[in-house]
Amino acid sequence: MNEAPPLLSVRNLRTHFVGEEETVCAVDGLSIDIRRGETLALVGESGSGKSVASLSIMRLLDPASGRVAADEIVFEGEDLLAKSEAEMRAIRGNEIAMIFQEPMTSLNPVYTVGEQIAEAVRLHQDASPKVALRRAAEMLDLVGIPEAAKRVHVFPHEMSGGMRQRVMIAMALCCNPKLLIADEPTTALDVTIQAQILELMRTLQQQIGMSILFITHDLGVVAEIADRVVVMYAGRAVEDAPVEAIFEQPRMPYTQGLLRSVPRVDRFADEQEPLYAIPGSIPSPSRLPKGCSFHPRCPHAAEICRRSVPELERVAQDHHVRCVRWREIEAPREVPA
Amino acid sequence: MTGAASEPLLQVRNLSKLFPVKGSPFSRTRETVKAVQDASLDVGRGEVVGLVGESGSGKTTLGRSILRLIEPTSGEVRFDGVSITALSARQLRPYRRRMQIVFQDPFGSLNPRFTAERIIGEALDTHRLARNRAERRDLIVDLLEKTGLGAAHLSRYPHEFSGGQRQRIGIARALAVGPDFVLADEPVSALDVSVQAQVLNLLRDLQRELDLAMLMVAHDLGVVEYIADRVIVMYLGRIMEVAPARALYSNPVHPYTQALLEAVPRPDPKARRSRTLLKGEIPSPIHPPSGCVFRTRCPIATTECAEVIPPLEETAPGHLKACIRR
């Protein structure tokens, strides 16, 4: 058992979007713990609520439309729900940093990358402009940008997508955050560049000792980087487990289906066997099926699944699943490699 | 008109596409983006060929140049024994029917103001494939059913469909005119994993049922492995390696193919490993490196690699590579 309290603890997070005609529940009762130094992956397809959950935790949703409620959101022993907007601003970018999918739109096109990193340093660490710019150069060097001292003077459009994502990481890490929230940070990148960025994130995590909340739809990336995994579907966590258990003994039929539907380069498709496909499509958050949201697409669905939303049940140490039938469903046999 | 049955349906020879770019107003030389250089490939009847590469590799430009949606700068495309490179728009028309395309973006490629019936019907009208309204409707319903939709979807608009359903309509439209060849340009990369598998299976089933020849452009090597008989790997406008799918994945010869496969994350935490990563980034296609375009990132490059453009040579039957070091 891990004795130290988690770095971030979220209990029963609920996020609603209020529209003119209807209110949509985007995140329904999400609870997660992120331990010190670990990488927790939040995995899901479009509409699963994974990005909304992270924005809710950071209190970055427009309060006019996104209503966030939770029993508790505790970071480093402090209740984030009780913080004022000014206090949140001091935490964001300093103790909790974020990087996003699109490094072009996340950078300001009219400032050099050095100025943008230096701004973060000055805001949070009270450094002089000169010291801040030197720190920016150090950070660019740390994230593997060649000739960092010169590159502080270039503009974002003069860099490639991979280099811009390195700049985003440099900016995120310049204040030594305890938690990095990375929302699909490699999705827009080519695989060879993605491999470089993942490697960089792993190395920096070991150096700095930060925790990472890694949001992605890509199971391959999850296997590369995560220590623990939370799988989301239609706004709810449906399974959480250490990374090995998610891939070797997934218990939720959705997780099982997702793993089987990824075409892989390391196993040959049998010429006759079609790729497994989960039938149907992801439900719209305004028209969620009754009971288990996954039941219309589930090969194991029974009458009981239509009646009520299943609770998260404990399968093993650190492994939970939201399926009433998990005991009856055989864990998949390991597919021979 | 038709070529011998033994001849590949599609033959591309030495195709290049250069895009002029605005240079400095003081410079006299017009600079060009060398999007595709000297590409040659065949697609056999009923064969599925995967065309893979990262951004800037020229895979999309090559695909579209083959269909003459982009006019190639030089080179020749032969379809069913006939060179289509120099045909006029009018002469090209029968070939347009026989060569179709499925686009990546199921949102941008369907007219939002047309119903599914009209989207598919337009393709039939263009090539006058229905004799009357009743036959037209029957054909459309048949196509919708073939792609897993139905008559109930006829009068719906694109926004009423999910991404996967839209891609089914895009496929129905391509198949409406009875093509022999389909260019599938990243047909599943905009879709969620659970829906991607459905559309891949649909494409594979229809390809087999109709004995279609297909060139599938994709950046996802797993997707291509699943569907392709043969795979072509491109880098910075040039073909690096061509091989039967299984040979390419189990025994890649070109150092770029090896690095590309190595970089694909495996959904297996036990396979987590320190890998030899490709250093640096893809160079500018305006000034590609001399000799082998991959040499600036290649772990085994020598000075000789800067001097000669490596020819595509056979290393095993049907397995070609453009590398003088392997």
Side-chain angles (χ1 to χ4, degrees):
Chain A
M1 201 63 199
N2 200 326
E3 294 300 330
L7 178 70
L8 176 75
S9 177
V10 177
R11 287 286 157 272
N12 196 19
L13 175 72
R14 304 172 302 278
T15 304
H16 291 85
F17 287 103
V18 183
E20 278 176 21
E21 282 160 30
E22 54 185 3
T23 296
V24 166
C25 180
V27 179
D28 187 4
L30 178 70
S31 297
I32 52 170
D33 284 332
I34 302 175
R35 297 166 194 165
R36 281 161 213 279
E38 83 167 351
T39 300
L40 178 72
L42 210 50
V43 194
E45 299 181 281
S46 0
S48 62
K50 56 192 192 300
S51 292
V52 172
S54 71
L55 294 172
S56 305
I57 293 166
M58 291 291 271
R59 302 229 324 250
L60 282 170
L61 290 176
D62 178 4
S65 62
R67 303 274 156 80
V68 179
D71 294 353
E72 91 181 6
I73 300 179
V74 174
F75 174 75
E76 279 277 57
E78 295 196 47
D79 184 3
L80 292 190
L81 287 167
K83 298 272 177 208
S84 70
E85 187 45 44
E87 288 170 321
M88 273 312 288
R89 236 178 327 208
I91 292 173
R92 285 194 291 252
N94 194 18
E95 291 181 76
I96 307 180
M98 290 188 90
I99 53 176
F100 299 94
Q101 175 174 347
E102 213 344 286
M104 191 65 218
T105 46
S106 311
L107 289 168
N108 190 329
V110 301
Y111 291 100
T112 65
V113 297
E115 285 165 342
Q116 295 184 60
I117 300 170
E119 185 188 11
V121 177
R122 276 188 288 117
L123 268 175
H124 291 294
Q125 303 199 330
D126 199 25
S128 73
K130 209 171 162 188
V131 171
L133 197 66
R134 205 179 318 131
R135 174 87 179 135
E138 281 169 27
M139 289 311 296
L140 289 183
D141 188 49
L142 180 71
V143 297
I145 291 183
E147 298 179 276
K150 272 191 216 158
R151 294 292 191 98
V152 289
H153 302 298
V154 310
F155 289 90
H157 73 265
E158 298 175 87
M159 298 185 129
S160 66
M163 283 296 158
R164 279 182 222 138
Q165 199 55 288
R166 284 175 195 265
V167 170
M168 286 304 298
I169 293 172
M171 196 185 301
L173 302 188
C174 66
C175 298
N176 294 315
K178 298 191 178 93
L179 173 64
L180 175 68
I181 299 181
D183 190 350
E184 303 264 13
T186 60
T187 304
L189 306 175
D190 279 315
V191 279
T192 60
I193 307 300
Q194 166 172 279
Q196 293 173 358
I197 297 289
L198 291 178
E199 178 80 15
L200 174 69
M201 289 181 72
R202 267 195 300 254
T203 315
L204 292 177
Q205 181 178 31
Q206 279 165 12
Q207 281 177 23
I208 299 170
M210 64 187 170
S211 307
I212 300 178
L213 177 60
F214 199 105
I215 297 163
T216 182
H217 71 282
D218 187 328
L219 291 159
V221 170
V222 171
E224 290 279 338
I225 201 148
D227 299 311
R228 283 192 307 128
V229 182
V230 175
V231 180
M232 291 190 73
Y233 184 77
R236 297 194 188 102
V238 293
E239 184 159 13
D240 66 79
V243 67
E244 299 81 11
I246 283 287
F247 285 90
E248 283 159 26
Q249 286 122 23
R251 302 312 295 249
M252 176 73 194
Y254 174 63
T255 315
Q256 295 173 355
L258 212 50
L259 283 166
R260 285 174 65 198
S261 51
V262 182
R264 299 177 58 158
V265 296
D266 53 342
R267 288 177 188 160
F268 289 108
D270 186 316
E271 303 272 271
Q272 301 308 313
E273 181 93 6
L275 189 65
Y276 179 77
I278 301 176
S281 51
I282 298 161
S284 150
S286 60
R287 282 191 296 276
L288 284 188
K290 283 219 160 44
C292 170
S293 309
F294 186 60
H295 86 253
R297 306 177 71 190
C298 181
H300 307 287
E303 191 47 43
I304 185 172
C305 306
R306 295 179 183 91
R307 264 182 251 144
S308 60
V309 178
E311 295 294 315
L312 271 177
E313 290 182 37
R314 184 178 180 277
V315 172
Q317 169 92 45
D318 261 2
H319 190 166
H320 300 86
V321 62
R322 195 185 291 280
C323 174
V324 287
R325 302 200 63 212
W326 71 268
R327 284 185 183 82
E328 304 155 58
I329 299 166
E330 210 182 327
R333 279 174 301 124
E334 177 71 341
V335 190
Chain B
M1 273 288 266
T2 48
S6 58
E7 194 183 32
L9 181 65
L10 180 76
Q11 294 171 294
V12 178
R13 291 294 172 268
N14 311 102
L15 189 145
S16 294
K17 177 66 194 179
L18 313 179
F19 292 102
V21 284
K22 263 207 189 105
S24 148
F26 305 108
S27 139
R28 266 182 226 177
T29 51
R30 289 264 309 276
E31 291 199 305
T32 54
V33 168
K34 283 102 188 146
V36 178
Q37 292 200 82
D38 202 19
S40 297
L41 62 96
D42 289 342
V43 180
R45 289 160 208 278
E47 188 189 29
V48 182
V49 176
L51 185 56
V52 301
E54 299 180 279
S55 347
S57 64
K59 57 188 190 301
T60 294
T61 304
L62 175 56
R64 294 189 178 190
S65 300
I66 290 170
L67 295 193
R68 283 186 60 193
L69 296 175
I70 297 172
E71 289 297 337
T73 308
S74 61
E76 189 186 21
V77 177
R78 294 178 75 82
F79 186 80
D80 206 3
V82 176
S83 173
I84 62 162
T85 325
L87 296 185
S88 68
R90 195 186 179 83
Q91 290 168 319
L92 193 61
R93 211 163 214 209
Y95 295 96
R96 287 252 184 266
R97 182 188 69 74
R98 298 179 64 191
M99 306 167 82
Q100 287 290 309
I101 180 166
V102 175
F103 294 97
Q104 167 175 4
D105 180 5
F107 298 88
S109 57
L110 303 180
N111 189 326
R113 303 177 61 161
F114 286 7
T115 61
E117 179 173 11
R118 186 159 170 204
I119 289 168
I120 301 168
E122 265 207 332
L124 296 172
D125 300 342
T126 306
H127 295 284
R128 300 199 182 85
L129 296 174
R131 274 168 303 199
N132 52 52
R133 290 191 72 83
E135 190 187 44
R136 184 174 184 268
R137 176 161 286 220
D138 286 349
L139 283 169
I140 295 169
V141 170
D142 187 46
L143 283 158
L144 284 173
E145 281 169 357
K146 260 206 180 92
T147 51
L149 300 167
H153 296 103
L154 277 173
S155 55
R156 295 210 197 147
Y157 290 88
H159 75 267
E160 296 176 86
F161 293 101
S162 67
Q165 288 174 322
R166 283 183 221 211
Q167 205 52 308
R168 290 171 193 271
I169 292 172
I171 293 168
R173 173 176 61 184
L175 299 183
V177 295
D180 305 311
F181 171 78
V182 171
L183 172 67
D185 191 358
E186 300 269 12
V188 297
S189 50
L191 305 176
D192 275 308
V193 185
S194 71
V195 177
Q196 168 180 300
Q198 295 171 5
V199 175
L200 272 181
N201 284 336
L202 174 70
L203 270 175
R204 197 167 91 148
D205 293 347
L206 290 171
Q207 183 271 327
R208 286 181 179 175
E209 187 188 323
L210 306 170
D211 199 28
L212 285 173
M214 190 153 88
L215 183 64
M216 178 144 155
V217 176
H219 69 279
D220 185 326
L221 288 129
V223 164
V224 168
E225 191 275 324
Y226 177 66
I227 206 159
D229 302 314
R230 281 194 306 130
V231 180
I232 299 169
V233 180
M234 286 187 80
Y235 179 82
L236 202 59
R238 288 188 185 270
I239 293 176
M240 299 281 114
E241 186 162 2
V242 182
R246 191 170 273 242
L248 188 98
Y249 288 87
S250 59
N251 184 28
V253 173
H254 197 287
Y256 175 64
T257 314
Q258 291 172 346
L260 192 62
L261 282 169
E262 183 86 0
V264 178
R266 311 280 196 273
D268 179 1
K270 275 192 264 173
R272 203 182 282 186
R273 64 226 183 275
S274 59
R275 303 177 286 193
T276 39
L277 293 180
L278 212 49
K279 300 251 175 357
E281 308 201 354
I282 192 164
S284 159
I286 299 174
H287 303 288
S290 65
C292 172
V293 288
F294 182 58
R295 69 177 166 83
T296 53
R297 300 173 77 192
C298 182
I300 57 166
T302 62
T303 49
E304 205 191 335
C305 297
E307 283 150 26
V308 281
I309 295 173
L312 258 183
E313 292 169 330
E314 198 158 54
T315 64
H319 196 150
L320 308 162
K321 52 88 199 180
C323 178
I324 55 170
R325 303 270 291 132
R326 284 285 159 79

